[in-house]
Each structure stands twice: as C-alpha cells, then as structure tokens.
Amino acid sequence: CCRRFRGTFEPQARRWTFPLASYEAFLADLNSVKHRAATEKPPPPPGGNVLVRIDPIPDVVRSLLRQDASTAAAAANRSSEARRLFQGIPLALRDQLMSFQREGVEFALGHGGRILIGDEMGLGKTVQALAVCSAYVRDWPLLVVCPSSVRAMWRQEILRWLGGLVDPSDVQVIFSGKDPLERRAATVISYDLFHKYAAAAAALGCGVVVADEGHYLKSGSSRRTRALLPMLQQARRAIVLTGTPALSRPAALFTLV
C-alpha cells in the first residue's frame, strides 16, 4: 500500500514519508481504512483492532509547500534556460569570464535579462553586461546610456568583446545634440543627452537597454529618470549597472528596481 503512493520507509526513525503529490490519494485511502475499521462486522478478532488517527496537513501549510515546489521547478527551468543561452555567448568572451562573473551572467540569463548588477568597482560589471547582451543579440538594437566621460570607452568595449557580432560602423556614439540618431546595432549615449533623443530612441525599438552608473536614476522626478525609465520598463532586456546602488537612502533603490 505504502509503495503504491511512492512512500519511503526510514528504518532508524521507523516511519514512512510520502511526496506531497501523493497526499490527496493517500489521505483518501487512510479515510477508507478508518471507515472500514469503524463499521466492520463482525468485530475483528482479539488483538486485531485497528486504530486509525488522521491529522491532516493544515491547508495553509499545504499551500506554502506547493509554492515551494512551484518555486523550485521554476528555478530549475530558469537554470536550464540560462545554461542554454550562456552557450550562445561568443567563445572568446565566455572563456574570459571569471567564476563570479559567470555566475552573475547566468543569474541574469535565468531572469530574462532584467537585472541590476551591483558589484563593486573593478569587478567587471561591463563585461558581464556585454555577455548578457550578446546572449540576447536577437533582441537588438542595443542601447547603452552612460555618463558622458565613458561613452568612448563603451564603444571600445563593445568592439573588443562583441567584435564578432558587430563592425565598427554598427556602433554609433552620440556626442552632441546635433548628431543624428540612426538605426544601428548598438548606440551609446549619455544621460545628459538622452532626454533629447528619448522619442527617437523609443522609435528604434531597442530590445536591450543598459544603464551604466544606474544611481544616476536615483531621483524619480529628475529629467533623465523620466526620460529613460519608460524605456527600461518596456525593453525586453534591461541591465542596470552601479557600484553604489544606494548612495544615502534606501529610497534611492526604488527607481532602479
């Protein structure tokens, strides 16, 4: 009987354990035994009395257990999908990732490419972001919004790590408000200029958006935040990078997450 419900006997504890999936059927079987014991005629022979006591699992506990099982299954699916996407990252980039960077990339891939990477300065947030971007190349154009001082650096890093996916002519950098915004594989623009190009950028349909130094968006009422936040929310993949996610108050995290 116990084997029928995929039960496992633990000799040391002298008990049977059953998977939650068998609970309903097992409980029904126990109730059937209890009913037969109570109504059996003639009465059982001496020493043959059957005492059945059933303490059902509270509904709230069962609900929590089901949620845990569902969460575990979802996590397993995310992990499998992350491993599949990870193999799509260019080999030259994949092999350069350190173990903790690979873990960060796989975490991002397991969460649909929507992530905040808050590693400290010097730990390779840029290379992790580009690895994630490369896994979702089908969702490009790629838009990188960053401080003015690192626009050229971002172009160099894109060509360095993703050179097999893009040519130099595929990466445009907006240096002034007079530069045209064209449809390219990748666009790099500063926070200070983005509000001028927000409508044009939205029209490009950028499916992957990177916000470098994401703490620039800490104020929900600032012009840059009001311009960029809708794109981060609408993009299929959104990667926020910052070594200081909360500069002073926890409220600064609100717009980032």
Side-chain angles (χ1 to χ4, degrees), residues 1-11 13-19 26:
C1 175
C2 292
R3 298 291 185 187
R4 181 157 56 94
F5 298 107
R6 294 181 292 166
T8 302
F9 183 67
E10 302 175 28
R14 298 180 59 83
R15 68 185 177 195
W16 286 86
T17 60
F18 300 88
F26 184 64

mmCIF file of all heavy atoms in Angstrom, residues 1-11 13-19 26:
data_model
loop_
_atom_site.group_PDB
_atom_site.id
_atom_site.type_symbol
_atom_site.label_atom_id
_atom_site.label_comp_id
_atom_site.label_asym_id
_atom_site.label_seq_id
_atom_site.Cartn_x
_atom_site.Cartn_y
_atom_site.Cartn_z
ATOM 1 N N CYS A 1 0.832 -1.201 0.000
ATOM 2 C CA CYS A 1 0.000 0.000 0.000
ATOM 3 C C CYS A 1 0.871 1.256 0.000
ATOM 4 O O CYS A 1 0.664 2.172 -0.787
ATOM 5 C CB CYS A 1 -0.913 -0.007 1.219
ATOM 6 S SG CYS A 1 -1.889 1.518 1.406
ATOM 7 N N CYS A 2 1.847 1.279 0.894
ATOM 8 C CA CYS A 2 2.691 2.466 1.002
ATOM 9 C C CYS A 2 3.513 2.674 -0.264
ATOM 10 O O CYS A 2 3.729 3.808 -0.686
ATOM 11 C CB CYS A 2 3.603 2.357 2.214
ATOM 12 S SG CYS A 2 2.703 2.425 3.801
ATOM 13 N N ARG A 3 3.966 1.575 -0.863
ATOM 14 C CA ARG A 3 4.741 1.687 -2.086
ATOM 15 C C ARG A 3 3.889 2.269 -3.214
ATOM 16 O O ARG A 3 4.388 2.948 -4.098
ATOM 17 C CB ARG A 3 5.271 0.316 -2.502
ATOM 18 C CG ARG A 3 6.201 -0.332 -1.500
ATOM 19 C CD ARG A 3 7.519 0.403 -1.418
ATOM 20 N NE ARG A 3 8.454 -0.288 -0.534
ATOM 21 C CZ ARG A 3 9.626 0.189 -0.170
ATOM 22 N NH1 ARG A 3 9.989 1.396 -0.591
ATOM 23 N NH2 ARG A 3 10.421 -0.498 0.626
ATOM 24 N N ARG A 4 2.604 1.965 -3.170
ATOM 25 C CA ARG A 4 1.705 2.456 -4.212
ATOM 26 C C ARG A 4 1.680 3.974 -4.253
ATOM 27 O O ARG A 4 1.455 4.580 -5.298
ATOM 28 C CB ARG A 4 0.290 1.901 -3.955
ATOM 29 C CG ARG A 4 -0.745 2.316 -4.991
ATOM 30 C CD ARG A 4 -1.903 1.329 -4.996
ATOM 31 N NE ARG A 4 -2.496 1.200 -3.664
ATOM 32 C CZ ARG A 4 -3.541 1.901 -3.261
ATOM 33 N NH1 ARG A 4 -4.088 2.801 -4.043
ATOM 34 N NH2 ARG A 4 -4.040 1.712 -2.048
ATOM 35 N N PHE A 5 1.915 4.609 -3.103
ATOM 36 C CA PHE A 5 1.927 6.070 -3.029
ATOM 37 C C PHE A 5 3.349 6.631 -3.042
ATOM 38 O O PHE A 5 3.592 7.733 -2.586
ATOM 39 C CB PHE A 5 1.193 6.530 -1.770
ATOM 40 C CG PHE A 5 -0.258 6.134 -1.753
ATOM 41 C CD1 PHE A 5 -0.700 5.119 -0.924
ATOM 42 C CD2 PHE A 5 -1.169 6.763 -2.590
ATOM 43 C CE1 PHE A 5 -2.037 4.754 -0.905
ATOM 44 C CE2 PHE A 5 -2.504 6.404 -2.574
ATOM 45 C CZ PHE A 5 -2.949 5.386 -1.742
ATOM 46 N N ARG A 6 4.284 5.821 -3.543
ATOM 47 C CA ARG A 6 5.695 6.227 -3.653
ATOM 48 C C ARG A 6 6.293 6.586 -2.289
ATOM 49 O O ARG A 6 7.079 7.526 -2.167
ATOM 50 C CB ARG A 6 5.840 7.389 -4.639
ATOM 51 C CG ARG A 6 5.504 7.007 -6.069
ATOM 52 C CD ARG A 6 5.695 8.181 -7.000
ATOM 53 N NE ARG A 6 4.714 9.227 -6.752
ATOM 54 C CZ ARG A 6 4.816 10.453 -7.233
ATOM 55 N NH1 ARG A 6 5.892 10.796 -7.918
ATOM 56 N NH2 ARG A 6 3.877 11.344 -7.003
ATOM 57 N N GLY A 7 5.868 5.822 -1.293
ATOM 58 C CA GLY A 7 6.386 6.062 0.051
ATOM 59 C C GLY A 7 7.779 5.491 0.236
ATOM 60 O O GLY A 7 8.190 4.556 -0.444
ATOM 61 N N THR A 8 8.513 6.045 1.184
ATOM 62 C CA THR A 8 9.863 5.577 1.517
ATOM 63 C C THR A 8 9.927 5.332 3.018
ATOM 64 O O THR A 8 9.581 6.208 3.815
ATOM 65 C CB THR A 8 10.920 6.627 1.130
ATOM 66 O OG1 THR A 8 10.821 6.908 -0.270
ATOM 67 C CG2 THR A 8 12.318 6.125 1.452
ATOM 68 N N PHE A 9 10.369 4.139 3.396
ATOM 69 C CA PHE A 9 10.456 3.801 4.820
ATOM 70 C C PHE A 9 11.835 4.161 5.357
ATOM 71 O O PHE A 9 12.860 3.863 4.736
ATOM 72 C CB PHE A 9 10.196 2.308 5.030
ATOM 73 C CG PHE A 9 10.189 1.916 6.482
ATOM 74 C CD1 PHE A 9 9.190 2.368 7.333
ATOM 75 C CD2 PHE A 9 11.198 1.109 6.997
ATOM 76 C CE1 PHE A 9 9.176 2.009 8.675
ATOM 77 C CE2 PHE A 9 11.190 0.749 8.342
ATOM 78 C CZ PHE A 9 10.177 1.210 9.178
ATOM 79 N N GLU A 10 11.853 4.851 6.504
ATOM 80 C CA GLU A 10 13.093 5.224 7.166
ATOM 81 C C GLU A 10 13.253 4.333 8.394
ATOM 82 O O GLU A 10 12.599 4.554 9.420
ATOM 83 C CB GLU A 10 13.050 6.693 7.573
ATOM 84 C CG GLU A 10 12.825 7.645 6.399
ATOM 85 C CD GLU A 10 12.656 9.088 6.848
ATOM 86 O OE1 GLU A 10 13.221 9.446 7.913
ATOM 87 O OE2 GLU A 10 11.967 9.856 6.158
ATOM 88 N N PRO A 11 14.112 3.302 8.315
ATOM 89 C CA PRO A 11 14.229 2.314 9.403
ATOM 90 C C PRO A 11 14.611 2.923 10.749
ATOM 91 O O PRO A 11 14.051 2.548 11.786
ATOM 92 C CB PRO A 11 15.317 1.356 8.894
ATOM 93 C CG PRO A 11 15.323 1.534 7.412
ATOM 94 C CD PRO A 11 14.986 2.967 7.181
ATOM 95 N N ALA A 13 14.148 5.926 11.951
ATOM 96 C CA ALA A 13 13.055 6.716 12.539
ATOM 97 C C ALA A 13 11.766 5.912 12.641
ATOM 98 O O ALA A 13 10.805 6.347 13.284
ATOM 99 C CB ALA A 13 12.811 7.968 11.695
ATOM 100 N N ARG A 14 11.752 4.718 11.986
ATOM 101 C CA ARG A 14 10.573 3.856 11.962
ATOM 102 C C ARG A 14 9.350 4.640 11.473
ATOM 103 O O ARG A 14 8.314 4.693 12.134
ATOM 104 C CB ARG A 14 10.310 3.256 13.350
ATOM 105 C CG ARG A 14 11.431 2.369 13.868
ATOM 106 C CD ARG A 14 11.122 1.813 15.237
ATOM 107 N NE ARG A 14 9.893 1.035 15.238
ATOM 108 C CZ ARG A 14 9.808 -0.243 14.875
ATOM 109 N NH1 ARG A 14 10.895 -0.872 14.453
ATOM 110 N NH2 ARG A 14 8.669 -0.895 14.917
ATOM 111 N N ARG A 15 9.506 5.207 10.287
ATOM 112 C CA ARG A 15 8.393 5.972 9.728
ATOM 113 C C ARG A 15 8.445 5.934 8.207
ATOM 114 O O ARG A 15 9.482 5.655 7.617
ATOM 115 C CB ARG A 15 8.453 7.424 10.195
ATOM 116 C CG ARG A 15 9.633 8.205 9.630
ATOM 117 C CD ARG A 15 9.719 9.595 10.223
ATOM 118 N NE ARG A 15 10.895 10.300 9.714
ATOM 119 C CZ ARG A 15 11.382 11.402 10.264
ATOM 120 N NH1 ARG A 15 10.807 11.931 11.340
ATOM 121 N NH2 ARG A 15 12.459 11.986 9.739
ATOM 122 N N TRP A 16 7.264 6.203 7.633
ATOM 123 C CA TRP A 16 7.153 6.316 6.182
ATOM 124 C C TRP A 16 7.032 7.791 5.809
ATOM 125 O O TRP A 16 6.407 8.568 6.521
ATOM 126 C CB TRP A 16 5.913 5.580 5.678
ATOM 127 C CG TRP A 16 6.039 4.090 5.688
ATOM 128 C CD1 TRP A 16 5.788 3.251 6.724
ATOM 129 C CD2 TRP A 16 6.444 3.283 4.584
ATOM 130 N NE1 TRP A 16 6.021 1.945 6.365
ATOM 131 C CE2 TRP A 16 6.419 1.938 5.038
ATOM 132 C CE3 TRP A 16 6.828 3.547 3.275
ATOM 133 C CZ2 TRP A 16 6.764 0.880 4.208
ATOM 134 C CZ3 TRP A 16 7.164 2.492 2.442
ATOM 135 C CH2 TRP A 16 7.140 1.165 2.918
ATOM 136 N N THR A 17 7.636 8.156 4.702
ATOM 137 C CA THR A 17 7.465 9.513 4.170
ATOM 138 C C THR A 17 6.914 9.403 2.752
ATOM 139 O O THR A 17 7.227 8.457 2.017
ATOM 140 C CB THR A 17 8.795 10.287 4.138
ATOM 141 O OG1 THR A 17 9.735 9.596 3.318
ATOM 142 C CG2 THR A 17 9.354 10.464 5.542
ATOM 143 N N PHE A 18 6.083 10.397 2.387
ATOM 144 C CA PHE A 18 5.420 10.377 1.084
ATOM 145 C C PHE A 18 5.548 11.744 0.417
ATOM 146 O O PHE A 18 5.544 12.778 1.094
ATOM 147 C CB PHE A 18 3.932 10.036 1.256
ATOM 148 C CG PHE A 18 3.676 8.703 1.894
ATOM 149 C CD1 PHE A 18 3.602 8.593 3.278
ATOM 150 C CD2 PHE A 18 3.525 7.556 1.131
ATOM 151 C CE1 PHE A 18 3.372 7.372 3.889
ATOM 152 C CE2 PHE A 18 3.305 6.337 1.723
ATOM 153 C CZ PHE A 18 3.229 6.231 3.109
ATOM 154 N N PRO A 19 5.632 11.762 -0.907
ATOM 155 C CA PRO A 19 5.700 13.052 -1.612
ATOM 156 C C PRO A 19 4.367 13.785 -1.506
ATOM 157 O O PRO A 19 3.298 13.160 -1.398
ATOM 158 C CB PRO A 19 6.004 12.650 -3.058
ATOM 159 C CG PRO A 19 5.512 11.250 -3.180
ATOM 160 C CD PRO A 19 5.739 10.617 -1.833
ATOM 161 N N PHE A 26 -3.426 9.450 -0.812
ATOM 162 C CA PHE A 26 -3.064 8.736 0.410
ATOM 163 C C PHE A 26 -4.065 9.018 1.526
ATOM 164 O O PHE A 26 -4.471 8.119 2.270
ATOM 165 C CB PHE A 26 -1.658 9.151 0.838
ATOM 166 C CG PHE A 26 -1.144 8.411 2.043
ATOM 167 C CD1 PHE A 26 -0.931 7.043 1.999
ATOM 168 C CD2 PHE A 26 -0.878 9.078 3.231
ATOM 169 C CE1 PHE A 26 -0.454 6.357 3.108
ATOM 170 C CE2 PHE A 26 -0.411 8.396 4.344
ATOM 171 C CZ PHE A 26 -0.199 7.033 4.277
#
